[in-house]
Amino acid sequence: MDTATLKKLLDDVAAGAIAPDAAADRLKSLPYEDLGFAKLDHHRQLRKGMPETIFASGKTHEQVIEIIARMREHGSNVLATRCEPEMAEAVKKAHPDITHHEVARCLTLTIAPPEQLKGYVAVVCAGTSDLPVAEEAAVTCESLGNRVERIVDVGVAGLHRLLGERDRLGEATAIIVCAGMEGALPTAVAGLVDRPVIAVPTSVGYGASFGGIAALLGMLNSCASGVTVVNIDNGFGAGYAAARINAGAGKSDS
Amino acid sequence: MDTATLKKLLDDVAAGAIAPDAAADRLKSLPYEDLGFAKLDHHRQLRKGMPETIFASGKTHEQVIEIIARMREHGSNVLATRCEPEMAEAVKKAHPDITHHEVARCLTLTIAPPEQLKGYVAVVCAGTSDLPVAEEAAVTCESLGNRVERIVDVGVAGLHRLLGERDRLGEATAIIVCAGMEGALPTAVAGLVDRPVIAVPTSVGYGASFGGIAALLGMLNSCASGVTVVNIDNGFGAGYAAARINAGAGKSDS
Amino acid sequence: MDTATLKKLLDDVAAGAIAPDAAADRLKSLPYEDLGFAKLDHHRQLRKGMPETIFASGKTHEQVIEIIARMREHGSNVLATRCEPEMAEAVKKAHPDITHHEVARCLTLTIAPPEQLKGYVAVVCAGTSDLPVAEEAAVTCESLGNRVERIVDVGVAGLHRLLGERDRLGEATAIIVCAGMEGALPTAVAGLVDRPVIAVPTSVGYGASFGGIAALLGMLNSCASGVTVVNIDNGFGAGYAAARINAGAGKSDS
Amino acid sequence: MDTATLKKLLDDVAAGAIAPDAAADRLKSLPYEDLGFAKLDHHRQLRKGMPETIFASGKTHEQVIEIIARMREHGSNVLATRCEPEMAEAVKKAHPDITHHEVARCLTLTIAPPEQLKGYVAVVCAGTSDLPVAEEAAVTCESLGNRVERIVDVGVAGLHRLLGERDRLGEATAIIVCAGMEGALPTAVAGLVDRPVIAVPTSVGYGASFGGIAALLGMLNSCASGVTVVNIDNGFGAGYAAARINAGAGKSDS
Amino acid sequence: MDTATLKKLLDDVAAGAIAPDAAADRLKSLPYEDLGFAKLDHHRQLRKGMPETIFASGKTHEQVIEIIARMREHGSNVLATRCEPEMAEAVKKAHPDITHHEVARCLTLTIAPPEQLKGYVAVVCAGTSDLPVAEEAAVTCESLGNRVERIVDVGVAGLHRLLGERDRLGEATAIIVCAGMEGALPTAVAGLVDRPVIAVPTSVGYGASFGGIAALLGMLNSCASGVTVVNIDNGFGAGYAAARINAGAGKSDS
Amino acid sequence: MDTATLKKLLDDVAAGAIAPDAAADRLKSLPYEDLGFAKLDHHRQLRKGMPETIFASGKTHEQVIEIIARMREHGSNVLATRCEPEMAEAVKKAHPDITHHEVARCLTLTIAPPEQLKGYVAVVCAGTSDLPVAEEAAVTCESLGNRVERIVDVGVAGLHRLLGERDRLGEATAIIVCAGMEGALPTAVAGLVDRPVIAVPTSVGYGASFGGIAALLGMLNSCASGVTVVNIDNGFGAGYAAARINAGAGKSDS
Amino acid sequence: MDTATLKKLLDDVAAGAIAPDAAADRLKSLPYEDLGFAKLDHHRQLRKGMPETIFASGKTHEQVIEIIARMREHGSNVLATRCEPEMAEAVKKAHPDITHHEVARCLTLTIAPPEQLKGYVAVVCAGTSDLPVAEEAAVTCESLGNRVERIVDVGVAGLHRLLGERDRLGEATAIIVCAGMEGALPTAVAGLVDRPVIAVPTSVGYGASFGGIAALLGMLNSCASGVTVVNIDNGFGAGYAAARINAGAGKSDS
Amino acid sequence: MDTATLKKLLDDVAAGAIAPDAAADRLKSLPYEDLGFAKLDHHRQLRKGMPETIFASGKTHEQVIEIIARMREHGSNVLATRCEPEMAEAVKKAHPDITHHEVARCLTLTIAPPEQLKGYVAVVCAGTSDLPVAEEAAVTCESLGNRVERIVDVGVAGLHRLLGERDRLGEATAIIVCAGMEGALPTAVAGLVDRPVIAVPTSVGYGASFGGIAALLGMLNSCASGVTVVNIDNGFGAGYAAARINAGAGKSDS
C-alpha cells in the first residue's frame, strides 16, 4: 500500500464508495503488510519469483512437509536448507517433484521461475570439506535468479590455481568465499580482484579452530579491504546477500 | 601487464626491439605489480583516483607525516583513519592542505579527485555514540567517489523515524548500519528494504556488551537475510566494501 | 511458624501445656521449616497448591518415579521438566494419571488445584524451534495457577503479526518472550507495550550463536528498558518469575 | 491514534471535514507515533510523568546539556545515568535546578512529578562497592514514581542481617538485588521471600570475576526460581523493570 | 634414599665395601627414585598402603586390565576412576576380586589395607545429579584410609537441612562440597563451619552453566574465605587433597 | 545459642523467669547469630583473636578509616588487603599504630594477639613479580596466628633450588604456591612433598596468559594430585584456607 | 622456472625458436608453478620423495580413495592422517599395498622412498592417551625421511624417567612433546636439554581442560625458552615442522 | 658434575682424601646444579657466551639494576626485555655501558661475546606496528650469536615484495614472522620457502582481534605445514627458539 493506494482508499471513503468502518478495518490490518513491514517478512512472503526459505534443521519431517504444502498452495517457490538425507527422503515422498541438492543439503521447488539477472556470482572454496557450505550458497543464489560460477579447486595452499581464475573472479558482480581453519582465502581473493567479497567461515578444522571461530576472527580481521563476513557455515546468508548485490548491479542498467 | 602487454613485450623481444636480458629483468620485477599482485597491494598502490589508506593508530606522528609525504610525491590521494586530535594537529602542521574530519577521526588529501559513481551509499546509525564509526564509513565512501546519505537519528528505539527514511534507504545501492549494544538495527533495516546491508558492530555499551562482542554476535546471527558484517568499529572496512558494491552497480550501466 | 505461632508455643510452655524439653526439640527442628528457611526450599516443599518441581534431565527413570511417588504421598502437586519421551513413557506406566505435555517436555500431576490468579501471562515465541522452551514456560505458569495467552506465530521477521497482537500483549501482567539466534524479539515487544518482559534466550541457531550465547548477550544488552533475562532455554525459570509477578498483581486487589 | 481516533479521522474524511490528501499526509506520518511505535521510543518520548533517560557515558558535556535543554522545552522529566563528577558539575552550571545523586552517578530534573504508585521496590546490596549500582536502580525507581526501601547492609556473608529484613523484603512488590563476585545474594533473597527478584551482577571483584561475568553466570544459573537478570552494572535497567512490575501491581487494584 | 642411606653408601665406599664405580652407577640411577623425584611419581609409586590411581577414561579395556595386573604384581592397591559400566564389567572378568563402585564409577582393589586415619572427611552434595562426583571423592578418600561422612540431601535450596548437619560438618577435618549450576553451596558451608572446604564444581546444569564453568567461577569468587577449588567434576582430586589435609591432622597427634 | 542455652531459655519461660513475649523477641533475633549463621559472617565477626578483614580495593579512604575505627571499638584485630600506597598513608594518619606491609599491600592492627598454632605454612613463589600475592598470603596467615616459612627464590626454571627446600616444604602443614604465566610450580611442589598444596594463580604474564587465566587453568588441570586452587591473585583466600588447615592440624594434638 | 630458465625462454623467442604467442601462453600458465607459487602448494605438489598429505577427517571414503589413486598415478608418496578404522579398512580394500598405522590413525604409501636425513627427531609423550597424537607426529616425521626416537613412558608425574632419557633427548635435532591436561611437560623437557622443542597440546583431559585449551595456554606461556606450539592434537604439523628443522641440520653438513 | 667428576669424588672418598660426611653434603647440594637440573635453570645460568635474560615488565627500576649488577659480577652477558623508556634511562644511569635498543625495548650488555653461528635467522614483519616485537626477536637472536636478516617491508597486502625476498628467506636456517590482525603472513611465508617458520602473533589490531587472539588462532590453524607459534608479542621466545634451531644447524657441520 504505497502512498497512491492509500490516497485512493481515502478518496473512496470521501466518495462514499467505501464505508469509514470498512476503511478503518482495512487500514488497521493492512498497513503492516503493505506500508513496509511486509518486507521484514522476507522469509515467508517475499515477492513473486523469489522462494520462501525454510531452515529445516530443528524441524520435524512433518513440519517441513506441511510448510512446503502451504507454500505450494500460495504459488511460492521453495528453498529448504540444512536438510539431512533422511529429511530429504521423507519430503520427496510427500512432494515428489521437489529437487534434492545432496551436497548443498537443500531442497528446491520452482513454481514460478525467478527473473534471471545479468551478472553472476562467483562461489569459491578451497577443498572438499567446505563444499556443502559453498553449495548451499550457490543453490541459494540460483534459486534467486542468479547465475553462479563455481570455483572449487583453489585455496591459499594452491594459490597458482586461484590466479588462473582471476578472470572469472574479476568479472563477477559479487564473490562468495568459503574457508575453514585459518580463513585466509577471502583475503587472498579480495587482494586479487576488486569485487565485493562475502566471506563464509566454515566449521572445518579441529582443536583451536573452535568450530569455525578461528576462521571467523581471521575474516573479521582481514587486512584486505572489501571483505564482509556472515555467520559460520551460513552459505544461505552469503548467497542471499550476494543476490542482493547482483540485483543492484542488474537493476541499474535495465 | 595484461596478456596483450605481455605479448607485446615478447613481440618486441622477437623483433629485437628489446634485449632478452632486459626483458627478463622486466618480467622478473613487473609481474608482481602488473599481473595481479598489485591488487593485493590495495592499501598502498590502488589505482588512480582512489586514496591510499593509512591506519594511523599505533603509528607515531612522524611515521604518518612521512608516509603522507611519500604518497603526495606519487600523486596519490590520502585517507588516514583513527587519527587522534593530537596526531591530526601534528599532521596538519606538516601538511597544511590536508582536511581533518573530526568526528570521523580521519584525514583526507585529494590530489586527483576520484571518479564519481552514480549510486549512493546510505550510512545509518542510531545515536551520538556510534557517530565516529559511522562517519569513518561515510568519509571512506566519499574519498572513494561515492555519494553518501547520512541517516543518523534512527534506532530500534525510534523505529518510526527509521520508517520515515524508507525511501532514502530503499534507493541506496548499499547500506551501512552502525550499532552497538545488542546490534539489532541492521536486522530492522534489512527487513525494511531489499538492499545489501553491511553491519558494523560498535564498541558502544558496557558490561555484557564486551566491547562490541554482543553486537557482533547479534549481527552475525541476524534473522534478516542479506546482512554481512565487518569487524567491531571498522567503519573504514564497511565503507570500502560498500564502495565496491556501488562501483559494481555503477559499472554495469555505463 | 510465624511470630504468632512462636508466641503460642512459648505461651504453652509458660502455661505448662508443653514441656520445655519438648518445646526445645520442636524449636530445634521446626524453625528451619517455618521461620523463613522453608522458603528457600522452593523446589520441594512449596506451600499447598503450588507444584513441586523436578528437573528430570540427568535423573534416572527410577529416581523421577520415586520422587513423584513421595510427593504424591505428601499431597503435593507435581511439575517435572525436561522429560524426554522415554522418561515420560516410563513415568506414565508408574503414574498413569500424570499428564504428559509433549512439546513442553513436561509432566504434571494436579492433586490440589492451585488458586487461580486474575491476570494472565503472555508467552511469545517466533517459530517452531523455540516452541519447546515457550511451552515449558507456559505449562509452568499454568501449573502455578496462571492463565496463559500463547502468541506463537510472531517474530522480528514478521513484525506486522506482532503488531496485530498488541492488545493481548498490552493487557498481560507479564510477558515471556523466547527467541534464539540474535534474540531481538524481546526488545521489539518491550518497545511495543509497557509490561514487564522476561526474555528467554533459546539455543536455537548455529555457528556464532554458540548455543544461545548470542541471544543471551543480545537480550542482556537490549536497548529497550524493562527487559530481564533468564538462563538459556530456561522456560521454567521464566514461567516461575512471571507467576511471581502475576501473583503480586493479583494479590494487591484482593 | 487508537481505533476510535482512526475512525474519527475517516468519518471526517467521509463527511468532507478533512480533505483526503490531508488525511493521507496525516496517516502517513502519525501511525508510527500513535499506533504503537511510540512505545518503542521509550528513551525519549515516554508518556507524561515519566522521565526521559539519557545514558551519559560516551557523550560530551555539551551533548548532555543540549539534550536536557530540549527535554525541558517539551516539559519532560529528566534522568541522566552514568554521569561522572565532571559532567555533573558541567551540567549543573547549565541547568542549576538539576539534582545530582552522587553515589548513583545520576542527574534528575522533575518538571511534572510522576504519579506515585502504591507498592514499593526493595533495593538490596551487600557492601559499599555495590552501592553505585544499587543507587542507580533506586534513583531510577524513584524517578518513575516508586517508593524505594534500601537494604544495604546485608550479604551472604551476613545472612542473619538479611533474615532481619525478611518483612521489608516480603512486602515489596519487586526486589532488586545487586551483587558482585560470585553473585549468590539473589538466590538467598529469592529463597527467603516469594517476590519477583531482579538480579544485577556488578563488576565488583577481581581475577576470575572477569568484570562481573562470574556474578552474571551465577545469577543466570541460580537454583532459586523467580530470579531474572539484567546486564552487568545495569542498575537503570533493573530499576525500570521493577517499576513496570510495580505499576502492574498498582494498576490492578485501582 | 634419605640422607642416612646416602651417608651409608659413602661410608661403604670409604670402607671399601663397595667400589667407587659401582657407587657411581648406583648414584647415577637411584637419586631420581630416592632423593625426591619419586615423590613426583605420585600416580604410580605412592608409598605403601596407598592405592595407585588409574584415570580410565580414554584408555581401552585391555590397557586398564593390564595396568591393574602389573600393579597387583607389585602388591599395590588399585583405584581406577571414570570407569564406564562396560569397562567395569570387562575388568571384573579379568580381575574378579575387584570392587565396582557403580555410582562413583570407580574400581578398587585392596591388597594392603591403608593405615586408618583418626579424623574424617565430610562429602557434601545437593542432589542426585551431583552424586557421581561426590561418590568419586568419597571412594578416593576411603581408598586412602579416611573415614567419610556422606551428607547428600542438602543444598542451598534446602538450607535448613544443611543446618541440621552442622555438627557432622563442624567436626570433620576437611569438607568436600560438590555443586553444579551456580555453585553456591560451598560458600554456605564455609560460612557455617570453620573447616577447610574443597569445592568441586560439577558439570550439572544447562545453558549458561557452560558445562560447569558457572559453578567453577562462582566457587573461585566465593565471598566465604577458606574455600579452595578443583577442576570441574574432579571428585578424585578433591578426595586426594582432603586426604592430605586429614593425614596432616592425624599425624600431628600420633 | 546451643541446645543447652535454648533449653535454659525455655526453662526460664516455663518457670516464669522470663515472659513469653520477651522470649519470643529474643528467639526471633538471636538464632541468626547463634544457631549457625554467625559463622557465615566470617569477614566481620570472627571469633576472638582473629582479625576482621577489609577488602580495601574499591573503597574510599574514608570508608576504610571508619571501618577500622569501628572494629577498634569492638576490640577486633584488623587485616586490610589491597591497600594502595596512598590509602595506606591516609589510614596511617588516622590510625598511627597500624602496621603497613608494603609488598603485601596490607594493613594490620593487632589488639588481641591471636593464639599461635603449632605447625607452619610454607609460602612459595618463583620471582619478584609474584611477591605481592605471596606476601598477602603470608601476612594473612600470620595475622591468624600461623608461623610462615617464606620460600621465594624458587621456580620451575630453578628446580634445583626448590629441591633444596624439600625439608622446609615437607614439614609444613600446608603449602601455598603462587605462580603466574603457565602456573606449573604447584604441580612440581605437589609432586615433591606429600602436603596439601593451595595454588594461587597470579596475573603475572602477558598475551595468552590472559591476566592469569592460563595459570588458573594450568593449576586446575594439574596432573599432581592434592592441588586445590583459589582465585587469581587471591593471596588472602589462600592464606585463610591454609590457616584453617593448620588450625585443624594444631587442634588434633592438644 | 628460475631466472636462468626464464632467460632461456626469452632467448628462444629472440632466436625465433619459439613463437611469441607460444611463449606468452607458457608464461601465462607456468609462472604460478615455477616462480615461487608452487611452493605454496606444499600439501599436494611437494618435491620428489616427500609424500603428499591428505587430511582424511571430513572426507568420504570415496574421496580419499580417489585422491590416493590420483597421487599414485603421479608417482607421489601418500600420507593420510586422521583415518578412522572404517576408512582405513575401506582404503585398504582399494589400495591393498597401503600401510595402516593404527595408533597414529595414518595411512602411508611409499612409492619413492624419501632421502634419509642424518639427525633424528625425538617424540615424547606422557601416557597412553596422548599416544595417537604422538604417533601421528612420528609417522609424519618418518614419512619425510626422518629417523624417530620414541620416548613414551615419561611425564611430569614421572620426571625421574624423563631424566633417564636425557641423552636421547639431548642428541635429537628437534624434540616433539605431546601433553594434555596442564601441558607442563614441554617446559620440563626444554629446561632439561638445549634443543628446539615443539609442543603439541592434546585434547586429553576433562572439565576446565576445555578440550586442550588449558594445555595450549600452558605451552604458550611456558617459562622455558625455546618452546614453540602447534594446534591442539596437531601431531602432523609438529612432525612436519620438526622435519624442516632436521632437514636444515642435515643440509648444513652435506 | 658429569660422571667423571662424580667418580672422582667417590675415588676421593675411597682414598680417604675427602670424608664421607663432607661428600654426602656435597652430593646433597651439588647434583641439582650439575646432574642435569642446571639446564632447567636456563633463564639464569645458561652456559658461557649466552646472556641471562631479564623480563623487566613488572619489576622496579631498582630490581632490574640490581639483577644486572649481580650478573655483571658473575661475568654474565645481559639481555633485558620489555624495558620502557623510563626504565632504560634509569638503568643506563647505573650501568652506563649498557646498550639500549629503543624499538626492541631491550637492554643488552655483552661481557663475553657469544660464539657466532654460521647460519642466519630471517625476521619478517609487515608494518611499523609490528616492529617492536620483530626487533625484540632480532635483538634476542643477535645476543645469542646469530646473524639476523631483517625483512620489514612485506605483508600479505604487498605480497610481491615478499616474493622479492624469496632468496633471503629461502637461505635462512629459521624464519620468524611477526603479524597482527588476521595473522596470515606466516602461512604465506611457509608456503613460499621450505624453512622452519616461527609465527609470532602481535597484539596489533582492534575489535575482534581481541589483543592478538585472532592472529594467534589464525597461526595455530595455518593451512601451511611447518609453522609453529609462540605467545602473543613474544619476540624473545621466538628469537630464543630460532637460535636453538640455528645452533643445531651450525653444530652439525663443525
Side-chain angles (χ1 to χ4, degrees), chain D residues 61-142:
Chain D
H61 297 181
E62 293 68 31
Q63 288 172 329
V64 171
I65 288 169
E66 190 186 321
I67 295 172
I68 293 173
R70 233 163 29 195
M71 289 168 70
R72 184 192 285 276
E73 283 167 25
H74 288 76
S76 171
N77 292 338
V78 173
L79 168 61
T81 62
R82 307 289 170 98
C83 300
E84 295 309 314
E86 306 73 32
M87 175 168 285
E89 199 173 351
V91 173
K92 283 215 70 144
K93 268 191 199 137
H95 299 279
D97 54 345
I98 209 160
T99 304
H100 181 207
H101 308 259
E102 282 185 45
V103 177
R105 297 165 303 171
C106 290
L107 296 169
T108 56
L109 180 64
T110 307
I111 292 181
E115 183 186 5
Q116 292 299 308
L117 296 163
K118 270 191 13 176
Y120 66 85
V121 176
V123 175
V124 183
C125 80
T128 50
S129 306
D130 300 318
L131 264 179
V133 176
E135 276 301 303
E136 184 183 294
V139 168
T140 299
C141 284
E142 289 170 341

Side-chain angles (χ1 to χ4, degrees), chain G residues 136-182:
Chain G
E136 184 183 295
V139 168
T140 299
C141 285
E142 290 169 342
S143 77
L144 291 161
N146 299 273
R147 186 156 58 86
V148 171
E149 292 284 330
R150 285 163 171 85
I151 302 178
V152 297
D153 55 345
V154 297
V156 174
L159 194 51
H160 61 290
R161 283 191 253 176
L162 180 64
L163 295 174
E165 299 288 357
R166 265 194 69 217
D167 287 350
R168 278 212 290 168
L169 290 168
E171 287 163 19
T173 316
I175 305 171
I176 294 168
V177 186
C178 307
M181 300 179 74
E182 68 185 319

Side-chain angles (χ1 to χ4, degrees), chain B residues 3 6-7 10-11 13-14 20-21 23-24 27-28 32 35 37, chain G residues 3 6-7 10-11 13-14 20-21 23-24 27-28 32 35 37:
Chain B
T3 309
L6 180 63
K7 186 165 177 313
L10 295 167
D11 283 338
V13 173
D21 274 7
L27 278 165
K28 186 173 149 203
Y32 312 123
L35 281 175
F37 296 120
Chain G
T3 309
L6 180 62
K7 188 164 173 315
L10 294 167
D11 282 339
V13 174
D21 273 8
L27 278 165
K28 188 172 148 203
Y32 313 124
L35 282 174
F37 296 120

Side-chain angles (χ1 to χ4, degrees), chain C residues 231-251:
Chain C
N231 195 1
I232 297 165
D233 289 335
N234 189 5
F236 165 72
Y240 196 96
R244 283 197 176 190
I245 294 173
N246 198 23
K251 197 174 64 180

